[in-house]
Amino acid sequence: MRNENAGQIRIIEAVFAVFVIFSAFAVTANLPAAQNTSRSDNLSSVGLQVLMKLDSDGSLGRNLDQGHWTVLRECLTLAIPAGISFNMTVYDEQMHEVNTAVISNGGFGSQEVSFTEYVCASRDLTLNCYAIHLYLAVTQ
Amino acid sequence: MPAVSIDTFFACSLMVMLVLSAMAVTTTFLRPHMNTTDGDSSQRLYRELSKYLLLSEGMPSNWGQNGQTIPETFGLARSNAECPYELDGDKVSRLNDENFYAISYAEAFTSLEAPDTFFKIEIKPLFDVKIRLDTTFDSNNDTIYQFEISTERNGVPISTQMRIFTIAEAYLKATSASATNGETMQNVTIPDTVDGPALLAVIARSAYNDRIMSFNACAFAHSSAEPNLKGTFLKLSPLNHSLTASFSTSGIDLTNAYALTLNHEFQLEQMSNTSESTTYEIPKILDSGPTILVLTGTNSTRSFIEWTAYPQIPVEMGADFVDSHALSDVFSFTYLITIDSIIYDCTVWLGGPA
């Protein structure tokens, strides 16, 4: 009699355990899956796109010809997405540094730094070619 | 059957179920965090898809111009664009739910033909124009309103040149100003004989690049009650260089219609008029840049002033990723796009089910 009762109790235990475990799974299954929103801007492609946009109407070459470094810095500040630092250096055909002022919006505190090289030709009667080195970094 | 056998059977079944369930749950939770080629390839796939949205014209290629056309395939690029990422102003306007002819997200999702991919697009100017009514003075027969106008990007002041328009019924006055440190105070004088409400519209251009522009407008009370929210009386839908003003309430009588650009201001010419809407022609001008469209009128009880921009920017359209629990990975891609030669900021979010 006592053994028979023990068997019944174990069955009840097992059923109860199954109920508890499945309840736990039912609850966890309805929890939101971890959502991973990542900013996937490829810094190099951002830099290239910004330079191409500024060059599309010839204003980039014009500013380089006239040495408007402040204008270039302000244009980059507007065009580059928030949270990205930049540092631009301009070279002539002989790879001599042309810019006489720093074209940058701050220090680089990030390990993720990208480099974009862009060749720009001015649209004046005298053809000037420039090599632009643009470094971008995610601001920390 | 002895009780021990039943016991053993239950215990074994329980163990098997426990192990299988644990594996399933662990996989579900760890999958989004695993840095595998799967994640890289989905990021690459979404990047290409975001480019496709901005570089393809869609089908038919002029789906933006005709308000009745639903695109078979989705794409926002302008037909015969001269440079990449040049978008069609009409297609962008049809993403804005303020536009009567806007396509729904469901229609855009279907025409994208990428099942299991949810997206959101936001297009906005590169900087913001903020307008704040500071103080009001009473003069002899006029009222003077002092406005604080600021131009900034993410809190950083932007040096701009701007054109400021004051409109109330048949009254239109334009002045120029500059905000070298991103801020200017402007006094606006309106005669008391003019009925309100009034609107202050601002079109600003970066002092350093002609192709970076922004705009805003602010309705305010002048010899009238406080103005209603935008869209209370009219739904303004600019498409294909015509403006359709759909009446939201009955008894609407439109009195004046203006188009404002950085260098020009026009009175709009009425093309057609029905009991439900009125259509105006938007002049085509050589100057590039946004056009602010302003309509004044009355309904049976009060006067109103409504405005919109052409192209209808800023615009945000698509899935709500913030409240979505079913998605595991959401990628955002930022682009500089041009509409009518003006540079705007475009962000595309893409994601799929877990």
Side-chain angles (χ1 to χ4, degrees), chain B residues 22-312:
Chain B
M23 286 165 66
V25 171
T26 309
T27 311
T28 309
F29 274 90
L30 289 184
R31 198 171 172 184
H33 302 288
M34 287 193 284
N35 189 18
T36 61
T37 48
D38 259 15
D40 291 343
S41 65
S42 61
Q43 181 175 337
R44 208 162 36 243
L45 173 76
Y46 288 139
R47 179 178 290 118
E48 292 307 313
L49 197 55
S50 67
K51 285 182 186 171
Y52 171 80
L53 280 172
L54 304 176
L55 293 172
S56 95
E57 298 170 2
M59 206 170 77
S61 60
N62 65 342
W63 66 263
Q65 291 175 6
N66 185 348
Q68 309 303 328
T69 306
I70 303 299
E72 289 170 39
T73 55
F74 192 67
L76 297 172
R78 194 169 78 95
S79 303
N80 307 316
E82 289 171 2
C83 62
Y85 301 105
E86 188 178 347
L87 303 193
D88 186 315
D90 289 325
K91 290 173 187 169
V92 170
S93 297
R94 288 194 65 193
L95 300 183
N96 195 321
D97 60 5
E98 286 179 17
N99 195 305
F100 185 77
Y101 305 106
I103 61 167
S104 66
Y105 174 59
E107 287 164 342
F109 177 82
T110 307
S111 60
L112 185 61
E113 294 176 336
D116 294 342
T117 301
F118 307 101
F119 69 94
K120 187 170 95 167
I121 300 175
E122 184 185 28
I123 299 172
K124 58 182 184 181
L126 282 176
F127 64 90
D128 300 320
V129 176
K130 292 183 178 171
I131 305 169
R132 193 169 66 88
L133 178 58
D134 220 25
T135 44
T136 305
F137 308 101
D138 279 328
S139 183
N140 285 339
N141 298 314
D142 305 320
T143 307
I144 302 166
Y145 300 91
Q146 189 175 64
F147 284 92
E148 184 186 321
I149 304 168
S150 59
T151 48
E152 59 179 56
R153 176 173 162 84
N154 303 314
V156 179
I158 301 296
S159 179
T160 54
Q161 290 147 357
M162 53 181 77
R163 189 86 169 146
I164 300 163
F165 303 91
T166 312
I167 306 117
E169 281 293 338
Y171 179 83
L172 169 64
K173 192 177 177 190
T175 54
S176 297
S178 60
T180 45
N181 57 356
E183 199 173 276
T184 180
M185 299 294 286
Q186 291 293 315
N187 285 342
V188 169
T189 306
I190 307 177
D192 290 336
T193 49
V194 174
D195 288 331
L199 184 89
L200 186 90
V202 177
I203 299 177
R205 184 171 66 187
S206 163
Y208 299 104
N209 193 313
D210 291 350
R211 297 191 306 149
I212 299 176
M213 292 174 76
S214 186
F215 54 85
N216 201 355
C218 170
F220 58 98
H222 169 73
S223 310
S224 68
E226 280 297 319
N228 287 59
L229 288 173
K230 204 176 161 194
T232 303
F233 299 97
L234 301 174
K235 203 169 173 91
L236 300 179
S237 313
L239 273 190
N240 197 20
H241 285 278
S242 69
L243 170 69
T244 305
S246 313
F247 306 151
S248 302
T249 60
S250 56
I252 296 275
D253 181 28
L254 295 177
T255 48
N256 292 283
Y258 304 98
L260 316 169
T261 68
L262 191 68
N263 298 315
H264 307 280
E265 55 267 2
F266 304 94
Q267 190 108 24
L268 293 179
E269 215 167 281
Q270 202 176 93
M271 290 162 67
S272 64
N273 188 20
T274 66
S275 59
E276 292 174 346
S277 68
T278 302
T279 306
Y280 296 89
E281 186 182 358
I282 302 172
K284 291 179 183 172
I285 55 169
L286 291 175
D287 291 3
S288 49
T291 304
I292 292 182
L293 304 162
V294 183
L295 266 72
T296 63
T298 54
N299 78 344
S300 49
T301 54
R302 59 188 298 176
S303 301
F304 64 84
I305 191 159
E306 295 270 13
W307 74 279
T308 192
Y310 183 51
Q312 231 162 356

